[in-house]
């Protein structure tokens, strides 16, 4: 199968690459790199605060009150005027701290912010007694609250020390119900939290999970400022596939790793919509994976397997199956992009597994995974990974994947590093040299390959002139 790169229209770039000479069969995999560029031309510098609804939820035990005592009132006083907000404290179930009474939401002005900051000084926290309900309860409560505030941006800021019930049942089902309803950032405090559920919350709800030591107030303020910089609060990526495509998956790889959930479109069985959120000016990179039944496909013929649509911009995913006895054409200069996306994922996972093994005092396993992460980081030039490894191990030979774990590593403080490994934002991949686009169909405008005689559009198929 050949590798192809196109820039069909400004604002979206699509790179399709398949390693090696894959023979067509019933479960042939096609992997495409999708880059989406968003320009802020003509857009306001910030979203009006009146378009934002934010829940600040404090899931912290009483013994960690010092972590939020000053930070939370400071962050509330710094809220932009006109933003809708509510503050939740913790107990066996989420408890509303502000506003009080029957009113579920406050709209920020000087009076409301001053009262909220005063109330937050005595915010209820977990005490000895029944275990708190867990992260599923926080997600469910936030979903119910935000349902009554249908604004452009609806967001949960969850501050947690890990004292919620870890691994509780129902979290996956609740996150499924929350998908598309709101987004979430998680701030971890203390040293006793379990990273995995926090990473799950952030990934499924399109946010980040980070450890905050002494800058919690600034972190809350920065998160709200980031929400206001989102020129496009929600931008679905739609993928229309040909009937022979049996499976589809889309993962955001940069700037933040996310697995996107696809929503089938009613009455359009071959179209899937993948909601994405909080688009700032710049680029995002995605890995699109299709599994196709190629038994009946012709060989050496350019075929369209999908059409990717972002707003009014469309790009086809096209490729051709080659005869088994022939080698595919030489890959283009940009064809390393899909392997780079996949290698980056393996590197992050190796770093995370190495740190988890270190936390569990499995020294040999930790050195094996950290060595793999170091080797891939050296190959990709990911200096931040090498710096993280250097905190807990001596890098003997990064290129060879040889590391030696430091003696006396404080395994109780590795949670913050595990969060960074799983949720640390990264910049977009190095830009690709895109060739000039080929001709377009005069009937529907779909881009066509240089040798195509008929339009590859899913609903067109007319002869090209």
């Amino acid at each position: 199968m050949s590798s192809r790169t196109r820039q069909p229209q400004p604002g979206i770039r699509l790179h399709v690459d398949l390693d090696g000479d894959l023979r067509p069969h019933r479960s042939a995999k096609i992997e495409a790199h999708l880059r989406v560029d968003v320009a802020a031309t003509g857009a306001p510098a910030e979203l009006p605060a009146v378009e934002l609804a934010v829940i600040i939820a404090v899931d912290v035990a009483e013994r960690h009150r010092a972590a939020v005592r000053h930070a939370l009132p400071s962050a509330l006083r710094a809220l932009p005027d006109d933003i809708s907000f509510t503050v939740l404290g913790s107990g066996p179930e989420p408890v509303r701290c502000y506003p009080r009474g029957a009113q579920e939401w406050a709209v920020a002005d000087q009076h409301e912010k001053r009262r909220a900051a005063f109330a937050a000084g005595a915010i209820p926290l977990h005490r000895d007694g029944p275990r708190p309900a867990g992260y599923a309860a926080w997600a469910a409560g936030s979903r119910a609250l935000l349902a009554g505030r249908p604004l452009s941006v609806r967001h949960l800021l969850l501050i947690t020390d890990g004292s919620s019930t870890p691994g509780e049942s129902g979290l996956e089902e609740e996150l499924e119900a929350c998908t598309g309803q709101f987004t979430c950032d998680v701030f971890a405090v203390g040293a006793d939290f379990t990273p995995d559920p926090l990473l799950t919350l952030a990934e499924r709800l399109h946010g980040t999970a980070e450890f905050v030591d002494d800058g919690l107030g600034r972190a809350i303020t920065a998160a709200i400022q980031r929400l206001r910089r989102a020129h496009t609060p929600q931008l679905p990526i739609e993928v229309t596939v040909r009937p022979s495509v049996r499976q589809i998956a889309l993962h955001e790889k940069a700037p933040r790793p996310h697995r996107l959930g696809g929503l089938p479109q009613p009455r359009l069985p071959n179209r899937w919509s993948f909601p994405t959120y909080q688009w700032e000016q710049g680029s995002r990179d995605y890995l699109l994976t299709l599994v196709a039944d190629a038994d009946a496909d012709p060989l050496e013929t350019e075929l369209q397997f999908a059409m990717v649509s972002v707003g009014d911009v469309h790009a086809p995913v096209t490729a051709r199956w080659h005869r088994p006895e022939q080698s595919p054409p030489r890959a283009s200069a940009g064809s390393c992009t899909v392997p780079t996306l996949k290698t980056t994922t393996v590197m992050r996972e190796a770093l995370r597994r190495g740190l988890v093994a270190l936390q569990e005092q499995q020294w040999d396993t930790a050195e094996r995974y950290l060595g793999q992460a170091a080797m891939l980081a050296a190959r990709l030039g990911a200096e931040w990974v090498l710096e993280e490894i250097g905190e807990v191990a001596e890098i003997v030979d990064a290129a060879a994947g040889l590391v030696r774990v430091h003696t006396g590593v404080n395994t109780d403080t590795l949670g913050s590093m595990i969060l960074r490994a799983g949720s640390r934002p990264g910049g977009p991949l190095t830009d690709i040299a895109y060739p000039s686009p080929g001709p377009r169909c005069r009937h529907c405008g779909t881009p066509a390959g240089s040798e195509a005689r008929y339009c590859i559009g899913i609903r067109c198929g007319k002869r090209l002139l």
Side-chain angles (χ1 to χ4, degrees), residues 88-407:
L88 301 180
S90 45
E93 297 288 338
V95 179
R96 192 183 322 137
C97 172
Y98 193 86
R100 300 183 183 276
Q103 186 179 355
E104 293 184 336
W105 291 91
V107 178
D109 59 21
Q110 290 304 314
H111 175 68
E112 291 286 359
K113 288 188 287 188
R114 185 168 57 250
R115 292 185 63 187
F118 179 80
I123 190 169
L125 302 178
H126 300 317
R127 297 180 183 273
D128 294 338
R131 291 280 292 176
Y135 297 117
W138 286 105
S142 300
R143 177 165 59 91
L145 271 174
L146 289 164
R149 213 68 173 178
L151 300 179
S152 299
V153 176
R154 299 185 294 177
H155 194 74
L156 167 66
L157 292 173
L158 177 62
I159 304 161
T160 182
D161 62 355
S163 53
S164 270
T165 306
E168 78 269 23
S169 62
L171 179 59
E172 187 67 26
E173 292 79 2
E174 181 54 42
L175 291 178
E176 188 69 28
C178 292
T179 300
Q181 303 302 309
F182 63 93
T183 53
C184 174
D185 287 325
V186 181
F187 298 124
V189 297
D192 300 326
F193 58 86
T194 302
D196 283 352
L198 307 188
L199 290 170
T200 299
L201 282 166
E203 180 185 12
R204 295 293 300 278
L205 299 179
H206 299 262
T208 59
E210 62 179 286
F211 171 72
V212 180
D213 188 7
D214 58 357
L216 178 60
R218 293 189 299 273
I220 295 172
T221 301
I224 294 173
Q225 291 173 341
R226 185 173 65 249
L227 292 174
R228 296 191 68 188
R229 290 198 304 268
H231 298 287
T232 306
Q234 181 174 352
L235 184 64
I237 299 176
E238 293 188 337
V239 183
T240 305
V241 298
R242 58 190 307 222
S244 65
V245 175
R246 299 196 315 236
Q247 297 178 31
I248 178 173
L250 187 65
H251 290 76
E252 180 178 322
K253 296 299 183 179
R256 293 179 176 88
H258 287 295
R259 177 187 52 151
L260 301 182
L263 305 174
Q265 301 302 289
R267 302 179 184 176
L268 295 171
N270 296 324
R271 180 176 298 177
W272 293 78
S273 179
F274 296 86
T276 63
Y277 302 88
Q278 300 177 19
W279 283 80
E280 300 180 47
Q281 182 176 1
S283 299
R284 293 192 184 189
D285 290 289
Y286 297 88
L287 181 64
L288 173 66
T289 303
L290 308 173
V291 177
D293 179 359
D295 279 350
D297 283 346
L299 302 179
E300 300 299 340
T301 301
E302 187 164 355
L303 304 170
Q304 178 175 336
F305 292 91
M307 178 70 78
V308 178
S309 303
V310 183
D312 295 329
V313 180
H314 311 280
V317 179
T318 63
R320 64 176 66 189
W321 303 114
H322 295 283
R323 293 185 176 88
E325 66 273 10
Q326 292 183 347
S327 297
R330 191 176 186 84
S332 64
S335 65
C336 64
T337 308
V338 167
T340 299
L341 285 172
K342 297 169 70 175
T343 302
T344 301
T345 300
V346 174
M347 176 188 68
R348 281 181 178 270
E349 181 64 14
L351 175 60
R352 189 190 68 83
R353 289 190 177 189
L355 294 171
V356 170
L358 192 57
Q359 192 175 47
E360 296 173 352
Q361 301 184 23
Q362 299 174 0
W363 315 118
D364 291 343
T365 302
E367 289 186 346
R368 184 171 72 253
Y369 280 120
L370 293 176
Q372 181 186 13
M375 179 177 62
L376 297 177
R379 184 186 307 171
L380 296 174
E383 291 295 329
W384 73 269
V385 174
L386 297 175
E387 291 173 2
E388 290 286 284
I389 296 172
E391 291 291 323
V392 296
E394 177 190 356
I395 301 177
V396 180
D397 187 340
L402 297 178
V403 304
R404 186 178 297 112
V405 171
H406 294 320
T407 58

